[in-house]
Amino acid sequence: MSTPSAERARKRSRWKRRFYNNRYLYLMAFPVLAYYVIFHYIPMAGTIIAFQDYVPIKGFLRSSFVGFKHFIDFFNGPYAWRVIRNTLLLNVYDIVFGFPLPILFALLINELRGKAFKKTVQTISYFPHFISLVVMCGIITDFSRTIGVFNSIAALFGAEPTNLLTVKEYFRPIFISTNIWKQLGWSSIIYLATLSGVDPTLYEAASMDGANRFRKILHVTLPALVPVIAIQLILRLGNILSQGFEKVILLYNPLTYETADVITSHVYRRGLEEMNYSYGAAVGLFNSVVNVIVLIAANTFSKRVVKQSLW
């Protein structure tokens, strides 16, 4: 009968042997692991400033502790509901309109028979993804001017020319539609890769059963995509209160704050421009906590309903 010390020695021996056999894999993984530890996990200690009146010259240890003061200031302030509402609406619209379109696009591409035409369409659809965000926002700004392309087209139908980016009602449609234009082709790659691995005999069996092309899509293609769709949707819902501030800041202005100002742009102005670091950290921490809660809820729901989950 083996003793506890002998059992521990055997486990250590197995661990050392496994580590030696996979040493090159561990060596390859080390830079990635180091990156996340250094730039993602260690900086998490900085969230302590959300509960302090942080002064850079004093540092973490000497700045005064104020508890939930900055969280209360945010929720009692005049902009809390506005930025939460705008962030939610932009993300919900992006999910409702932007999430299904790459799936539909992948299904359409998958049905193309001409290889040359298929590759051409794919290549053209990928181009917008590689356009710099600054360049893209510059194009949108120029096209939205009073004498821009959009107004020239609208004038053909009798509309009065106006700078579209100064009209708060137009910000969300412009923001979402340009997001879709930029990411449609690139987001479809993962679905096309999944479809390339579908067993062709399934389509042959469906044809023998008398299924037309639509029935094949419905009963063969879409079920093959369900696991990937579920994972992608979970990840997307995990960012329900996150909206990249770069594009918002490049497109919005004081005239459109009512519909354009989001949590991240609010944090940018209050936290960086006004150097209120503790307030920015508090709002950012609230944002992250809500995202984590939504991610866990979405993962649990997907596990129970679709039988697919991240963990």
Side-chain angles (χ1 to χ4, degrees):
M1 185 174 181
S2 61
T3 62
S5 58
E7 182 64 26
R8 286 195 296 270
R10 279 196 296 271
K11 287 182 179 179
R12 283 196 298 268
S13 177
R14 285 197 298 269
W15 186 88
K16 289 178 181 178
R17 187 166 57 253
R18 189 181 302 116
F19 182 84
Y20 180 80
N21 292 337
N22 299 293
R23 60 189 183 279
Y24 295 116
L25 293 176
Y26 289 125
L27 186 63
M28 291 172 62
F30 178 76
V32 179
L33 180 63
Y35 167 79
Y36 278 97
V37 170
I38 294 172
F39 294 104
H40 290 267
Y41 286 95
I42 292 178
M44 288 175 66
T47 56
I48 188 65
I49 70 175
F51 305 94
Q52 297 177 323
D53 268 334
Y54 177 70
V55 180
I57 198 170
K58 293 183 178 180
F60 299 116
L61 299 180
R62 291 187 295 167
S63 294
S64 57
F65 183 80
V66 295
F68 291 94
K69 172 181 177 291
H70 300 294
F71 295 91
I72 296 171
D73 288 345
F74 171 65
F75 287 109
N76 288 338
Y79 305 117
W81 166 241
R82 184 181 76 179
V83 298
I84 293 173
R85 179 197 64 207
N86 291 339
T87 306
L88 279 173
L89 285 176
L90 285 177
N91 278 285
V92 169
Y93 291 155
D94 199 33
I95 292 173
V96 171
F97 297 106
F99 185 79
L101 286 178
I103 302 171
L104 179 60
F105 184 71
L107 292 174
L108 294 174
I109 291 291
N110 189 61
E111 292 300 310
L112 293 176
R113 294 294 176 258
K115 289 185 178 180
F117 181 68
K118 183 177 181 178
K119 290 181 178 179
T120 302
V121 172
Q122 285 181 268
T123 303
I124 293 173
S125 69
Y126 298 159
F127 279 159
H129 174 79
F130 297 100
I131 298 176
S132 166
L133 183 62
V134 176
V135 173
M136 188 190 77
C137 290
I139 295 172
I140 296 170
T141 301
D142 287 338
F143 280 17
S144 300
R145 294 184 189 278
T146 307
I147 57 173
V149 174
F150 296 152
N151 275 292
S152 298
I153 296 173
L156 299 176
F157 299 93
E160 288 293 329
T162 181
N163 189 331
L164 302 180
L165 289 178
T166 62
V167 182
K168 63 181 182 180
E169 290 81 7
Y170 294 160
F171 181 85
R172 289 171 187 155
I174 292 173
F175 189 92
I176 299 301
S177 60
T178 51
N179 265 1
I180 294 172
W181 170 73
K182 184 173 174 61
Q183 299 298 339
L184 175 65
W186 187 258
S187 299
S188 68
I189 291 177
I190 189 170
Y191 303 113
L192 289 168
T194 303
L195 293 178
S196 67
V198 177
D199 189 352
T201 59
L202 295 176
Y203 292 104
E204 295 174 5
S207 297
M208 293 177 65
D209 289 338
N212 56 26
R213 294 181 72 174
F214 178 75
R215 290 289 182 180
K216 291 177 186 178
I217 293 173
L218 194 62
H219 297 290
V220 179
T221 309
L222 277 177
L225 288 178
V226 166
V228 179
I229 293 173
I231 297 300
Q232 291 295 311
L233 184 58
I234 291 170
L235 293 172
R236 186 63 189 84
L237 289 172
N239 290 317
I240 194 67
L241 272 188
S242 294
Q243 188 60 254
F245 70 92
E246 300 94 341
K247 186 178 178 183
V248 173
I249 290 175
L250 289 169
L251 292 179
Y252 80 163
N253 57 73
L255 295 174
T256 59
Y257 279 175
E258 184 61 29
T259 57
D261 196 18
V262 294
I263 292 176
T264 47
S265 61
H266 179 67
V267 169
Y268 171 78
R269 289 199 313 276
R270 289 292 304 273
L272 294 179
E273 289 186 345
E274 298 179 15
M275 294 186 291
N276 193 345
Y277 304 115
S278 293
Y279 179 90
V283 179
L285 181 59
F286 157 75
N287 190 20
S288 300
V289 169
V290 173
N291 282 334
V292 169
I293 293 172
V294 174
L295 175 64
I296 294 172
N299 188 76
T300 304
F301 178 81
S302 178
K303 183 186 294 185
R304 292 180 179 178
V305 177
V306 190
K307 308 303 180 186
Q308 296 291 332
S309 61
L310 290 174
W311 63 84

